[in-house]
Coordinates of all heavy atoms in Angstrom, one line a residue:
Chain I
S7 N -11.2 -3.8 -12.5 CA -11.3 -4.0 -13.9 C -11.2 -2.7 -14.7 O -11.6 -1.6 -14.2 CB -12.7 -4.7 -14.2 OG -13.8 -3.8 -13.8
P8 N -10.7 -2.8 -15.9 CA -10.1 -4.0 -16.5 C -8.7 -4.2 -16.0 O -8.2 -3.4 -15.2 CB -10.1 -3.6 -18.0 CG -9.9 -2.1 -18.0 CD -10.7 -1.6 -16.8
G9 N -8.1 -5.2 -16.4 CA -6.7 -5.5 -16.0 C -5.7 -4.6 -16.7 O -4.7 -4.1 -16.0
T10 N -5.9 -4.3 -17.9 CA -5.0 -3.4 -18.7 C -5.9 -2.6 -19.6 O -6.9 -3.0 -20.2 CB -4.0 -4.3 -19.6 OG1 -3.3 -5.1 -18.7 CG2 -3.1 -3.4 -20.3
L11 N -5.4 -1.3 -19.7 CA -6.1 -0.4 -20.7 C -5.0 0.2 -21.6 O -4.0 0.7 -21.0 CB -6.8 0.7 -19.9 CG -8.2 0.4 -19.3 CD1 -8.6 1.5 -18.4 CD2 -9.2 0.3 -20.5
S12 N -5.2 0.2 -22.9 CA -4.3 0.9 -23.8 C -5.0 2.1 -24.3 O -6.0 2.1 -25.0 CB -4.0 -0.1 -24.9 OG -3.3 -1.2 -24.5
L13 N -4.4 3.3 -23.9 CA -5.0 4.6 -24.2 C -4.0 5.6 -24.7 O -2.8 5.2 -24.9 CB -5.6 5.1 -22.9 CG -6.7 4.2 -22.3 CD1 -7.0 4.7 -20.9 CD2 -8.0 4.3 -23.1
S14 N -4.5 6.7 -25.0 CA -3.6 7.8 -25.5 C -3.7 9.0 -24.6 O -4.8 9.2 -24.0 CB -4.1 8.2 -27.0 OG -4.0 7.1 -27.8
D17 N -7.1 11.1 -23.4 CA -8.2 10.2 -23.2 C -8.8 10.4 -21.8 O -8.1 10.7 -20.9 CB -7.9 8.8 -23.4 CG -7.7 8.4 -24.9 OD1 -8.1 9.2 -25.8 OD2 -7.2 7.3 -25.2
R18 N -10.1 10.1 -21.7 CA -10.7 10.0 -20.4 C -10.9 8.5 -20.0 O -11.2 7.7 -20.9 CB -12.1 10.6 -20.4 CG -13.0 10.5 -19.2 CD -14.4 11.1 -19.4 NE -15.2 11.0 -18.2 CZ -15.4 11.9 -17.3 NH1 -14.7 13.1 -17.5 NH2 -16.2 11.8 -16.3
V19 N -10.6 8.2 -18.8 CA -10.6 6.8 -18.4 C -11.3 6.6 -17.0 O -11.1 7.5 -16.1 CB -9.2 6.2 -18.4 CG1 -8.3 6.9 -17.4 CG2 -9.2 4.7 -18.0
T20 N -12.0 5.6 -16.9 CA -12.6 5.2 -15.6 C -12.2 3.8 -15.2 O -12.4 2.9 -16.0 CB -14.2 5.3 -15.6 OG1 -14.5 6.7 -15.9 CG2 -14.8 4.9 -14.3
L21 N -11.6 3.7 -14.0 CA -11.2 2.4 -13.5 C -12.2 2.0 -12.4 O -12.7 2.8 -11.6 CB -9.8 2.5 -12.9 CG -8.7 3.2 -13.7 CD1 -7.4 3.2 -12.9 CD2 -8.6 2.6 -15.1
S22 N -12.5 0.7 -12.4 CA -13.5 0.1 -11.5 C -12.8 -0.7 -10.4 O -11.8 -1.4 -10.6 CB -14.5 -0.7 -12.3 OG -15.4 -1.4 -11.4
L74 N -12.3 5.3 -10.1 CA -11.4 6.3 -10.3 C -11.4 6.8 -11.7 O -11.2 6.0 -12.6 CB -9.9 5.9 -9.9 CG -8.8 6.9 -10.1 CD1 -8.9 8.0 -9.1 CD2 -7.4 6.2 -10.1
I76 N -9.9 9.5 -14.5 CA -8.9 10.5 -14.9 C -9.5 11.2 -16.1 O -9.7 10.6 -17.2 CB -7.5 9.9 -15.3 CG1 -7.1 8.9 -14.2 CG2 -6.5 10.9 -15.5 CD1 -5.9 8.1 -14.5
L79 N -5.9 12.1 -19.8 CA -4.6 11.5 -19.4 C -3.5 12.4 -19.9 O -3.4 12.8 -21.0 CB -4.5 10.1 -20.1 CG -5.3 9.0 -19.4 CD1 -5.4 7.8 -20.4 CD2 -4.6 8.6 -18.1
D83 N 0.7 10.0 -16.4 CA -0.4 9.2 -15.7 C -0.4 7.7 -16.1 O -1.1 6.9 -15.6 CB -1.8 9.8 -16.1 CG -2.0 11.2 -15.6 OD1 -1.3 11.6 -14.6 OD2 -2.8 11.9 -16.1
F84 N 0.5 7.4 -17.1 CA 0.6 6.0 -17.5 C 1.3 5.2 -16.4 O 2.5 5.5 -16.2 CB 1.2 5.9 -18.9 CG 0.3 6.4 -19.9 CD1 0.4 7.7 -20.3 CD2 -0.7 5.6 -20.5 CE1 -0.5 8.3 -21.3 CE2 -1.6 6.1 -21.5 CZ -1.5 7.5 -21.9
A85 N 0.6 4.3 -15.8 CA 1.1 3.7 -14.6 C 0.1 2.6 -14.2 O -0.9 2.3 -14.9 CB 1.2 4.7 -13.4
Y87 N -2.6 1.3 -11.3 CA -3.5 1.9 -10.3 C -4.1 0.8 -9.4 O -4.5 -0.2 -9.9 CB -4.6 2.7 -10.9 CG -4.0 3.9 -11.6 CD1 -3.5 3.9 -12.9 CD2 -4.0 5.1 -10.9 CE1 -3.0 5.0 -13.5 CE2 -3.4 6.3 -11.5 CZ -2.9 6.2 -12.8 OH -2.4 7.3 -13.4
G102 N -4.9 -4.5 -9.3 CA -4.3 -3.5 -10.1 C -4.8 -3.4 -11.5 O -5.2 -4.4 -12.1
T103 N -4.8 -2.1 -12.1 CA -5.1 -1.9 -13.5 C -4.0 -1.2 -14.1 O -3.5 -0.1 -13.6 CB -6.4 -1.0 -13.6 OG1 -7.5 -1.8 -13.2 CG2 -6.6 -0.6 -15.1
N104 N -3.4 -1.7 -15.1 CA -2.3 -1.1 -15.8 C -2.8 -0.2 -16.9 O -3.5 -0.7 -17.9 CB -1.4 -2.2 -16.4 CG -0.2 -1.7 -17.1 OD1 0.2 -0.5 -16.9 ND2 0.4 -2.5 -18.0
V105 N -2.5 1.1 -16.8 CA -2.9 2.0 -17.8 C -1.7 2.3 -18.7 O -0.7 2.9 -18.2 CB -3.5 3.3 -17.2 CG1 -3.8 4.4 -18.3 CG2 -4.7 3.1 -16.4
E106 N -1.7 1.8 -19.9 CA -0.5 1.9 -20.8 C -0.9 2.7 -22.1 O -2.0 2.8 -22.5 CB 0.0 0.5 -21.2 CG -1.0 -0.3 -21.9 CD -0.5 -1.7 -22.3 OE1 0.4 -2.2 -21.6 OE2 -0.9 -2.2 -23.3
I107 N 0.2 3.2 -22.7 CA 0.0 3.9 -23.9 C -0.2 2.9 -25.1 O 0.5 1.9 -25.2 CB 1.3 4.8 -24.2 CG1 1.5 5.8 -23.2 CG2 1.2 5.4 -25.6 CD1 2.7 6.7 -23.3

Side-chain angles (χ1 to χ4, degrees):
Chain I
S7 60
T10 301
L11 279 168
S12 296
L13 298 166
S14 300
D17 285 347
R18 177 185 178 92
V19 60
T20 296
L21 312 182
S22 173
L74 174 69
I76 310 172
L79 280 166
D83 299 336
F84 290 91
Y87 293 83
T103 292
N104 183 20
V105 177
E106 62 179 25
I107 296 179

